Amino acid sequence: MQILIPIDGTDASKRALDFAIEMASQMGGSLHVVHFTNKPTDATETILDDARGRLASANISAEPELTTLTVDVWNADRVGKEILDVVEAHGYDHVVMGHHEDGTVERAIFGSAAETVLRAEAIPVTIVP
């Protein structure tokens, strides 16, 4: 089983990564950890370093990948579509994503990458709150 785990540095994302690590360990699967950004910053490296530490603690040799997107409008729906493009291009079997509890207004304005991936019904998805 090949598992894609997009990370964004939130607590929900960290819980999702921990869940995906356990899932891969239990099922003998492999992980591909990816962080999407439109502009790498110091925070980007912090997110990747945290993921490296979690993977190393679990004795998983996967290296988190940084994907930089050039977009005019940066929103969760766009990120969700990029995740689906990665799934299609690489043939992943499963996606594990964190989802933070936004309010109704935030969700209506910004959307949710996790909801975009889930609603596409293109691949099994585990959403970790």
Side-chain angles (χ1 to χ4, degrees):
M1 172 180 281
Q2 293 184 19
I3 304 166
L4 177 66
I5 171 74
I7 59 171
D8 64 6
T10 61
D11 288 341
S13 171
K14 293 173 185 178
R15 287 190 301 272
L17 178 55
D18 292 341
F19 180 89
I21 289 169
E22 182 65 27
M23 183 179 187
S25 296
Q26 298 271 331
M27 302 180 96
S30 63
L31 288 179
H32 178 188
V33 182
V34 65
H35 173 66
F36 294 94
T37 186
N38 60 340
K39 182 180 177 186
T41 65
D42 291 340
T44 304
E45 197 54 39
T46 301
I47 291 167
L48 296 175
D49 282 344
D50 179 73
R52 287 182 191 106
R54 290 169 189 274
L55 293 165
S57 293
N59 293 318
I60 294 178
S61 62
E63 175 65 21
E65 178 182 318
L66 173 63
T67 300
T68 304
L69 304 173
T70 304
V71 294
D72 294 332
V73 179
W74 183 261
N75 62 36
D77 187 53
R78 173 63 191 255
V79 173
K81 289 176 182 173
E82 291 294 332
I83 292 167
L84 290 167
D85 287 348
V86 169
V87 165
E88 185 177 329
H90 298 284
Y92 291 102
D93 302 304
H94 200 95
V95 176
V96 176
M97 297 181 69
H99 180 37
H100 46 85
E101 297 294 323
D102 285 336
T104 305
V105 173
E106 291 89 350
R107 190 171 298 134
I109 294 170
F110 299 112
S112 162
E115 287 179 28
T116 298
V117 174
L118 186 62
R119 287 185 179 151
E121 298 180 4
I123 186 170
V125 179
T126 300
I127 305 294
V128 178

